[in-house]
Amino acid sequence: MTKKRLAILGSTGSIGTQTLEIVRQHPDKFEITVLTANTNVDLLAEQINEFKPKYGLICNTILFKNLQDQVTTSTKLLSGNQELTNLVSIPDVDIVVNSLVGFAGFSSTMESIKAGKKIALANKESLVVGGELIMNALKHSKSYLIPIDSEHSAMLQCLVGEPKKSIEKIIITASGGPFRTFTIDQMKSVTKAQALNHPNWDMGAKITIDSSTMMNKGLEIIEAHWLFEIPVDKIEPVIHPQSIIHSMVTFCDGSSKAQLGPPDMKVPIIYALTYPNRLPLDTPRMDWTLSHELSFQPVDYERFPCIKLAIESIKIGGTAPAVLNAANEVAVERFLNEEIGYIDIPKIVEKSLNKLSSSVKISVEILKEIDTETRAFASRID
Ligand code: MG
């Protein structure tokens, strides 16, 4: 097998650094062509010096000189968002690992499709906001998209070899996050430190907060809806606190398949890089000879309104998922800056949806406009 050449967008984040760990385990299978980071210039320089990619890019232009000072390889160094979008289409890239955070990742997904690249997608917001545009663009491209999200990787693994018409429903599992057993009253006083402490998964700050509010599960339902072209009504969320079953599919004959394993993002990452094949991975294994408890509970939509708002947004269609996403990004950032309380997050999302969403036919321009408009609105309201 010739080496697969990777562009990692967001290489200093949680998914980016774990992708590089996989490359370290399989230096004969992968090589790095592009590494990019938003602001973490020190780690980016360290990664460039280790992996010697052709291109290295820092989005924040102020940090460019700092990057130049630290890099000792012949890597071509760049900065800025426009250059980031251009980099995905260079010929020496086979797989684009899009692990950018938020709507910022959408343009890179669209450019990767235009350039016919294979995409390993960790940026779920791309699909949430512009799922229809992305799926249409994929139909006219040799590009294809493999999810890095653990739930969607599980669904894909369950669906290998199964015709679409056999799918009765998809069961998407959720850990329930750190506040699974909290009352609404207890949620009122949740602090940033509490919300950043996820019981099972070690992830970036934005997705950790989204997991705690269950907005993450809502975004993932929308993501699954587009990826597998399944109506949202056929995607059922269920609480599974152990995070061992990563999702399930029930088929028309009553049989269900599940994908299981210890919670470790390196598994969905390597599967996205090698699909439909597999490579050995040095990660913890389940010891099935020991006693384990796998339990399931229904989702409480009263205590976790974010997941309900996400499902409503996809039913409205048009700009509603874009409004939901932008309002949520702003609300999470404001919570992390300690400007608003924890239970203000769903309130801001709901007010934004009520005020701004419409079922118009979307285009890239409309999405960008509504994104900007929603961010301005969500930054002002309390
Ligand atoms: Mg997930």
Side-chain angles (χ1 to χ4, degrees):
M1 172 173 142
T2 53
K3 282 192 195 181
K4 291 274 180 269
R5 298 164 301 176
L6 309 186
I8 305 181
L9 314 184
S11 65
T12 58
S14 173
I15 298 293
T17 51
Q18 294 184 79
T19 306
L20 290 173
E21 279 177 46
I22 291 171
V23 175
R24 279 191 200 101
Q25 283 191 34
H26 289 287
D28 54 328
K29 298 285 192 295
F30 304 107
E31 68 178 75
I32 303 294
T33 309
V34 175
L35 291 175
T36 85
N38 197 20
T39 54
N40 192 342
V41 66
D42 295 342
L43 182 55
L44 177 64
E46 214 176 278
Q47 292 174 341
I48 291 173
N49 291 336
E50 179 183 350
F51 290 95
K52 303 175 180 59
K54 282 201 168 167
Y55 298 91
L57 177 140
I58 186 96
C59 287
N60 186 330
T61 49
I62 296 165
L63 298 167
F64 184 59
K65 175 81 176 58
N66 187 333
L67 181 67
Q68 283 179 312
D69 290 344
Q70 296 192 59
V71 168
T72 55
T73 63
S74 60
T75 300
K76 184 166 170 48
L77 299 178
L78 301 160
S79 72
N81 285 318
Q82 187 53 50
E83 294 285 4
L84 172 72
T85 315
N86 296 340
L87 268 183
V88 300
S89 52
I90 60 166
D92 332 50
V93 170
D94 301 309
I95 306 176
V96 175
V97 179
N98 184 348
S99 49
L100 300 172
V101 177
F103 180 60
F106 175 76
S107 305
S108 299
T109 302
M110 286 301 272
E111 284 307 313
S112 308
I113 295 171
K114 278 186 206 157
K117 306 293 185 190
K118 175 176 171 180
I119 306 164
L121 187 71
N123 177 258
K124 68 187 73 176
E125 292 88 346
S126 288
L127 276 171
V128 168
V129 173
E132 191 180 346
L133 298 175
I134 287 173
M135 297 316 286
N136 280 339
L138 279 170
K139 283 177 185 142
H140 301 104
S141 162
K142 69 176 169 74
S143 166
Y144 63 106
L145 199 155
I146 307 293
I148 284 183
D149 219 340
S150 62
E151 294 78 0
H152 304 76
S153 179
M155 294 168 200
L156 182 64
Q157 292 178 58
C158 292
L159 288 171
V160 166
E162 303 283 358
K164 208 171 117 193
K165 64 176 192 308
S166 308
I167 305 170
E168 190 164 284
K169 59 187 174 187
I170 289 178
I171 294 92
I172 182 165
T173 52
S175 70
F179 312 128
R180 182 169 54 86
T181 59
F182 273 39
T183 61
I184 292 178
D185 245 14
Q186 283 175 300
M187 287 202 199
K188 287 180 183 160
S189 55
V190 161
T191 64
K192 175 178 158 182
Q194 282 175 301
L196 283 174
N197 188 16
H198 194 280
N200 303 349
W201 294 95
D202 180 13
M203 308 175 289
K206 199 263 177 180
I207 185 174
T208 303
I209 302 298
D210 284 348
S211 294
S212 77
T213 62
M214 290 198 74
M215 176 59 91
N216 184 53
K217 210 48 54 184
L219 300 178
E220 289 180 348
I221 290 173
I222 301 176
E223 189 185 359
H225 159 70
W226 289 116
L227 266 177
F228 303 108
E229 300 177 295
I230 299 286
V232 272
D233 294 337
K234 289 188 167 189
I235 307 169
E236 288 182 350
V238 63
I239 304 284
H240 165 53
Q242 296 85 9
S243 294
I244 301 296
I245 296 180
H246 302 305
S247 277
M248 300 187 264
V249 179
T250 299
F251 296 95
C252 55
D253 58 358
S255 171
S256 293
K257 277 192 197 172
Q259 187 262 337
L260 301 86
D264 187 330
M265 283 311 294
K266 285 203 280 294
V267 178
I269 295 171
I270 198 165
Y271 192 68
L273 298 178
T274 59
Y275 170 88
N277 303 308
R278 294 182 188 270
L279 274 180
L281 186 65
D282 179 16
T283 50
R285 266 43 175 177
M286 292 299 297
D287 183 347
W288 293 113
T289 64
L290 303 176
S291 308
H292 291 284
E293 192 182 335
L294 300 178
S295 58
F296 306 92
Q297 291 151 15
V299 173
D300 182 341
Y301 295 96
E302 295 305 313
R303 287 186 300 126
F304 296 98
C306 282
I307 181 168
K308 197 166 67 184
L309 293 169
I311 294 169
E312 278 167 18
S313 82
I314 195 73
K315 289 184 175 165
I316 299 168
T319 59
V323 172
L324 172 100
N325 178 68
N328 181 57
E329 283 187 32
V330 170
V332 169
E333 201 182 317
R334 290 181 69 188
F335 172 69
L336 289 172
N337 292 334
E338 296 174 324
E339 267 178 58
I340 59 166
Y342 185 71
I343 59 164
D344 294 326
I345 297 175
K347 287 181 187 163
I348 288 177
V349 174
E350 187 169 13
K351 282 181 189 169
S352 304
L353 271 175
N354 290 341
K355 171 93 178 156
L356 298 170
S357 64
S358 75
S359 55
V360 294
K361 189 159 174 54
I362 55 165
S363 64
V364 174
E365 291 68 35
I366 288 176
L367 287 183
K368 285 185 176 160
E369 271 168 36
I370 196 72
D371 182 75
T372 309
E373 195 183 340
T374 306
R375 278 168 207 274
F377 179 76
S379 313
R380 287 193 309 266
I381 51 173
D382 296 312

